[in-house]
Amino acid sequence: MSWPGAAAVADGEILSDGGDGPPVVVKLGGARAVDPAGAVGDVAHLVANGRDVVVVHGGSTAVDDLLADLGKEAEYVETPSGVTGRFTDEETMAAFTMAMAGQVNTDLVTALKNAGVDAVGLSGVDGGLLTGPRKSAVRVVEDGKKKIKRGDHSGTPKQVNDGLLDTLLADGYTPVVSPPMFGMESESEGTPVNTDADRAAAAVAGALGAELVILTDVSGVYADPDDPDTLIESVATSAEYDALTDAAEGFMTRKVMAATEALESGAAAVTVADANVRDPIVAALDGTGTRIERSAVVDEVDELADTDAADAKVDG
């Protein structure tokens, strides 16, 4: 489902409290430095004011802690493009599912329930909520050399069961979505696989025509990552977007990648903001953090051409 007024929000009309705005997809980071308490209160506030909210969460710290308890060291690899990610072998995949869809999801649903929100926990496997091909081998860089590393259990969502989310939202429930996703190994069979929570949130936001808020442990994207006074507040043009991608480093690279995917697939706007400030979601919707408009990524002429072509197909 895509909210029909998404374009108005993309043009600068921000509706943080009322029920007339698009859905809000909140990606809540799982790092130890991210305190979810403020986000939980904001979700309760938005839902009470009639806004549809979907929460997507990470949980890297919980996964690493569980692996340590099991006597296994977390393994991270670097791709040729410079992005660092978790390598998920079979043993890690079992721990990943227990920590993410079990502990972290249940704890977050409980917190939301205690705040008065009718939250429903879902993994990306439930109802085929997040589906895409399994990636069993990844290209990595080790000791300066490019290699193929096999035995991975990962994937990127290519389809979202937005009908399931629409049904829950229409019935007054707040979905809380967790990796893993359903990784297709053939046309008819799949298996749970690790997927990046930022990109999962992007896929959900695109499918719903939602406004995506990515909460992390910094204020947004900095032009100079070492200088907090260089926060990039607004990105509305292609030139500003190029500057944004040039500035993004480390973990922020993946968040900018997710923002791009969200906007290209139909999200109204994306804001990267600090989870640890007061009222973090409402503050992000009201302009704090780094706000990226659709106009920075999606060419308006091409978008209109696609709309006209779709209308012609329906009319013809």
Side-chain angles (χ1 to χ4, degrees):
M1 177 185 73
S2 177
W3 176 70
V9 174
D11 288 337
E13 180 185 352
I14 305 172
L15 304 170
S16 60
D17 289 348
D20 294 331
V24 177
V25 173
V26 179
K27 192 277 176 170
L28 187 58
R32 200 181 307 275
V34 173
D35 183 356
V40 168
D42 269 4
V43 171
H45 169 75
L46 291 168
V47 170
N49 280 277
R51 200 78 176 266
D52 286 338
V53 180
V54 177
V55 179
V56 181
H57 68 80
S60 57
T61 297
V63 176
D64 289 347
D65 288 348
L66 179 55
L67 287 171
D69 290 342
L70 297 172
K72 181 176 175 63
E73 186 176 349
E75 183 177 4
Y76 289 87
V77 294
E78 181 182 349
T79 69
S81 61
V83 177
T84 299
R86 183 188 299 277
F87 183 79
T88 312
D89 60 16
E90 187 172 358
E91 187 178 359
T92 300
M93 188 64 228
F96 181 90
T97 302
M98 286 188 283
M100 294 284 278
Q103 176 191 343
V104 179
N105 190 268
T106 300
D107 287 350
L108 186 52
V109 169
T110 300
L112 287 165
K113 288 285 291 179
N114 287 337
V117 178
D118 282 332
V120 176
L122 299 165
S123 81
V125 175
D126 295 324
L129 179 58
L130 300 171
T131 302
R134 175 194 169 184
K135 183 185 294 184
S136 60
V138 292
R139 297 181 183 275
V140 302
V141 177
E142 293 181 356
D143 300 323
K145 297 180 180 180
K146 295 180 181 179
K147 299 180 180 179
I148 301 294
K149 194 172 180 65
R150 303 187 185 280
D152 194 32
H153 294 67
S154 66
T156 301
K158 299 299 181 182
Q159 293 90 36
V160 176
N161 185 352
D162 55 324
L164 174 58
L165 297 175
D166 287 342
T167 298
L168 290 170
L169 291 168
D171 287 343
Y173 295 102
T174 296
V176 181
V177 179
S178 167
M181 61 168 247
F182 192 67
M184 298 300 299
E185 298 184 300
S186 68
E187 291 186 2
S188 58
E189 294 185 352
T191 188
V193 298
N194 181 6
T195 190
D196 178 68
D198 288 320
R199 299 180 77 178
V204 171
L208 295 178
E211 185 158 359
L212 173 60
V213 176
I214 301 176
L215 294 178
T216 184
D217 58 354
V218 295
S219 297
V221 185
Y222 302 115
D224 178 355
D226 296 323
D227 185 354
D229 292 330
T230 63
L231 177 69
I232 299 172
E233 296 182 355
S234 178
V235 180
T237 67
S238 59
E240 291 171 341
Y241 172 77
D242 290 342
L244 177 77
T245 57
D246 288 343
E249 293 183 359
F251 75 95
M252 195 59 74
T253 302
R254 193 179 295 274
K255 297 187 186 304
V256 172
M257 179 190 304
T260 303
E261 293 174 357
L263 295 167
E264 288 178 342
S265 61
V270 179
T271 302
V272 181
D274 192 345
N276 300 320
V277 300
R278 181 177 178 179
D279 304 327
I281 302 172
V282 171
L285 294 173
D286 284 343
T288 66
T290 299
R291 181 178 174 86
I292 311 168
E293 307 287 355
R294 280 181 59 83
S295 57
V297 175
V298 180
D299 189 296
E300 185 177 354
V301 174
D302 291 341
E303 189 173 18
L304 289 173
D306 290 341
T307 302
D308 291 343
D311 290 344
K313 185 175 181 180
V314 170
D315 294 340

